[in-house]
Amino acid sequence: MSDSGDRNNKLLSIAEAAKFLGVSRSTFNKIRQENDIREIMVGKRPRFFSNELISVLSSRTSSVDLPKVQIRSKIALNILSSDSVDLLEVRKNVFDLRLISQIDPYGALSLLCNLIVRAKTEKRIELLVDDKHICQYLKTIQFFYQLEKEDRIFWDRGILKGASIQDTSILMPINAIKVKGGERIIAENLLKLLRQQGFKDTVGRAISVILGELADNAMTHSHEILSERVCYVSAKRFLWKESNCIIIGVADPGLGIPASLKQNPTYSDFSDRGALLESFKPHVTSWKDSPRGKGLTDVLSIALGNHSLLRADTGDIGLSMNLIKSGDPKISFNEPMASVTGTRFGLILIDTNFEKTDRKVVDRLISEKVGEL
Amino acid sequence: MTIIKLNQFGSVLTGREFGADVMKGLASSIIYPVCLDFDGVESIGSSFGDEVIPVLALKQNNKIAVKNANETVRSILKDVADDAGIELEII
């Protein structure tokens, strides 16, 4: 997150920071000593970014009493944001969903997978909810429904009883695909819906290819770490840069791309970042001596042709591809929205007629980036 | 020429295992040469295509004819054909 780009990210004095965290000034000074908190000097006085204080809070568990006041800084969990779901963890294993200001399918699936994976190892995870818009929205897209199967995740269901919203931007609530082939039925239904809503066939068809390939990959690899195959998908429409767009999220809590790819001896020496990037090249697959490895190439070919934006998180790696400017794709690594096993994809497609980019271009682009690592 | 209507398997054809299953189902009853009819097929994935197109083409001099394929389908079919080194005839 840029320092100035978030209205909620304020510069605070020592007194304000202490109040913000709900601790005394002396306690706050102790926190400063124990944590590497960035200080901005304004004149001779240090100032602190409120969002960074929340990060400190989420990593602290015992040395200082935790704040009892509600933290008001808001967290954006959408594909255009660099916020992390960690910022919601106001206390160990306590996630305050009331802090979310914006969320899209990519953010919702990142949060969902984070909670599901955490629940495999933690005894109890609590979610703080209210009856306001975001929690209502999460209920409407079946976020809580997917969590109901997790017996270690708790929230006040009474608050959300009856809460739901009419939101025509929701194209597809969160669906859990548990059998291979389930993605095709979902893709067919989504395609029909997009057509009804006036989206161009090119876009609807591209999305069905993306959904099919990503979900098929996820279903192939998710059971390598879990006892069952599962893949979550969701989609929403929105306006972005004055264009009608669709954002689609596909996630699985499985092994993750790098670990999976490195099962193939050809890629066993790759770094995790290198393996993630390499997986987008044609014919790169975790299967030895196999003609596989085209799904992610096709996804990137479509994203490049559509001049859109693609994010892929796996483990503690975040990969962002900004393909908006023709001939000037920007590919960078950053913090993932959720640092958990498995893979989360977020893709924006703009409603326009387009052709997917040639695979050779994808191959060249990724080869260059891998070479830079 | 035998026309195989692929929309009998759905309008979105993706997934390698599904492609292999479709091919297995077709294999027992095919009379070559064949032409694939994509009428009613909205999209196809490379993984599905890999399991069907080259297998059929192998039985007819590495050539395959397709008809009623939309742009999205054609684009993927071309990639599949390029990879497999087969000739794609679009009718």
Side-chain angles (χ1 to χ4, degrees), chain A residues 240-251:
Chain A
W240 182 50
K241 295 184 183 292
E242 298 180 354
S243 296
N244 219 3
C245 296
I246 303 156
I247 174 165
I248 184 163
V250 179

Side-chain angles (χ1 to χ4, degrees), chain B residues 15-78:
Chain B
R16 190 168 295 277
E17 284 179 26
F18 182 53
D21 287 346
V22 164
M23 194 55 230
K24 269 183 208 163
L26 287 173
S28 58
S29 59
I30 289 180
I31 298 169
Y32 292 95
V34 299
C35 169
L36 298 179
D37 186 349
F38 284 86
D39 183 35
V41 174
E42 299 283 359
S43 63
I44 180 174
S46 294
S47 50
F48 178 94
D50 277 349
E51 298 295 326
V52 176
I53 311 296
V55 181
L56 292 172
L58 193 65
K59 302 273 190 181
Q60 40 191 47
N61 298 322
N62 264 356
K63 290 181 186 171
I64 189 111
V66 300
K67 60 191 272 192
N68 296 320
N70 65 43
E71 273 303 316
T72 304
V73 171
R74 269 191 229 178
S75 167
I76 296 287
L77 290 178
K78 281 177 187 166

Side-chain angles (χ1 to χ4, degrees), chain A residues 66-117:
Chain A
L66 288 155
K68 294 179 177 57
V69 295
Q70 183 180 340
I71 299 163
R72 296 192 182 280
S73 203
K74 292 290 186 179
I75 314 300
L77 297 181
N78 58 39
I79 195 167
L80 301 173
S81 159
S82 57
D83 282 353
S84 157
V85 299
D86 291 347
L87 297 174
L88 299 176
E89 193 172 6
V90 292
R91 219 173 295 165
K92 185 168 170 57
N93 294 332
V94 178
F95 290 81
D96 192 345
L97 306 192
R98 300 168 303 179
L99 296 176
I100 302 170
S101 61
Q102 297 174 48
I103 193 161
D104 65 10
Y106 168 70
L109 294 185
S110 294
L111 179 57
L112 181 76
C113 286
N114 185 65
L115 295 170
I116 288 172
V117 172

Side-chain angles (χ1 to χ4, degrees), chain A residues 180 183-184 187-188 191 195 205 208-209 212-213 216 229 283 291-292 294 298 356 359, chain B residues 10-12 14-18 42-47 50 70 72 75-76 79 83:
Chain A
K180 279 211 167 197
E183 75 279 5
R184 289 196 305 278
E188 284 179 349
L191 187 53
R195 191 168 281 152
R205 288 167 177 159
S208 65
V209 171
E213 294 295 329
D216 189 52
R229 294 176 192 235
H283 313 296
R292 296 170 182 241
K294 297 164 188 174
D298 287 343
K356 77 182 183 71
R359 282 178 176 175
Chain B
S11 64
V12 173
T14 56
R16 190 168 295 277
E17 284 179 26
F18 182 53
E42 299 283 359
S43 63
I44 180 174
S46 294
S47 50
D50 277 349
N70 65 43
T72 304
S75 167
I76 296 287
D79 285 341
D83 279 346

